Amino acid sequence: MPLGAARFGLLGGVADLGKLELIETQVADGTSAVIDFLDIKEDIYNVHFLTYNNVGATGTDYDSVYIRFFENGVLESGSVYQWADQRIRANGGTNEFKSTSSTSVLMHYGGVSNSANEKINAYAYFYNLGNVNKYSFVTNQGLCIPSYSEGNIFSMVFGSAVLPQASVVDGIRIFNNQATGTSYIKTGSTLSLYGIAES
């Protein structure tokens, strides 16, 4: 067997390194503001990949999407997360958002309401979640048609975050946060979590 062929997986029987392996897909039913992934197989995967597909909200105001981690089954909601995001809008406007002591990680700034066309589509990579000796990192990118309060002007966001404490992260919570009133993740919003094969 040629060494190069084996190394790059060109022949049968060789591991398909980098392949996405679906862990779980969840579809919102419109009755909850949170979606939890609690069996993320952090003992198998060092890198996770999360997709948001047409994520909306049931409220009438401005909803943004955040995440929190579970550490050994306990939700971390302290002011421990650090993140930095950049937003670019179709009208040329730009914004920088950042925090060194947040209670969650901002995944997409540019809120949506219950209007049919107001949706968030995004993806994120997670690193080291199952490694007790390393910090957990996130890098994300997304786009949306935001709510009327922002003129329904298309925007995209990219950024990164860290949970700066070495721990085993064994769960991920996605939740929306409305500016006023009560809102849930809209029916049909689809989130899928994958692991990236390394062997």
Side-chain angles (χ1 to χ4, degrees):
M1 177 185 296
L3 179 60
R7 181 173 297 159
F8 292 102
L10 301 179
L11 301 178
V14 178
D16 192 1
L17 303 182
K19 179 180 67 174
L20 290 176
E21 297 179 342
L22 179 64
I23 296 173
E24 184 179 7
T25 292
Q26 297 197 47
V27 181
D29 62 7
T31 65
S32 176
V34 305
I35 290 180
D36 289 337
F37 290 91
L38 299 178
D39 183 15
I40 67 172
K41 304 187 187 307
E42 74 284 350
D43 57 330
I44 299 175
Y45 302 108
N46 183 57
V47 181
H48 292 73
F49 181 66
L50 176 70
T51 62
Y52 291 47
N53 185 18
N54 290 326
V55 173
T58 64
T60 58
D61 203 350
Y62 187 90
D63 284 48
S64 293
V65 178
Y66 299 81
I67 69 162
R68 288 184 175 129
F69 290 137
F70 289 87
E71 296 173 292
N72 295 311
V74 178
L75 184 66
E76 176 58 89
S77 56
S79 300
V80 294
Y81 301 93
Q82 299 181 24
W83 51 263
D85 279 45
Q86 184 78 29
R87 180 174 69 161
I88 304 172
R89 307 180 71 193
N91 63 358
T94 61
N95 306 96
E96 182 183 274
F97 308 101
K98 57 187 181 294
S99 177
T100 59
S101 59
S102 179
T103 60
S104 57
V105 173
L106 177 65
M107 290 297 293
H108 194 283
Y109 189 93
V112 294
S113 68
N114 58 13
S115 174
N117 294 320
E118 294 178 19
K119 305 290 185 183
I120 296 171
N121 289 280
Y123 64 84
Y125 288 92
F126 300 84
Y127 304 92
N128 305 327
L129 298 188
N131 193 324
V132 69
N133 297 311
K134 294 184 177 181
Y135 293 172
S136 295
F137 291 89
V138 188
T139 183
N140 59 278
Q141 182 166 324
L143 53 88
C144 82
I145 301 293
S147 67
Y148 65 89
S149 60
E150 293 216 341
N152 297 124
I153 298 171
F154 173 83
S155 67
M156 64 87 69
V157 172
F158 60 91
S160 297
V162 63
L163 176 61
Q165 50 198 35
S167 63
V168 172
V169 170
D170 57 3
I172 302 169
R173 167 166 290 183
I174 296 94
F175 67 100
N176 71 328
N177 184 29
Q178 184 171 269
T180 58
T182 300
S183 179
Y184 302 122
I185 299 173
K186 196 170 187 175
T187 300
S189 301
T190 303
L191 296 101
S192 295
L193 182 67
Y194 301 82
I196 297 182
E198 295 186 347
S199 63

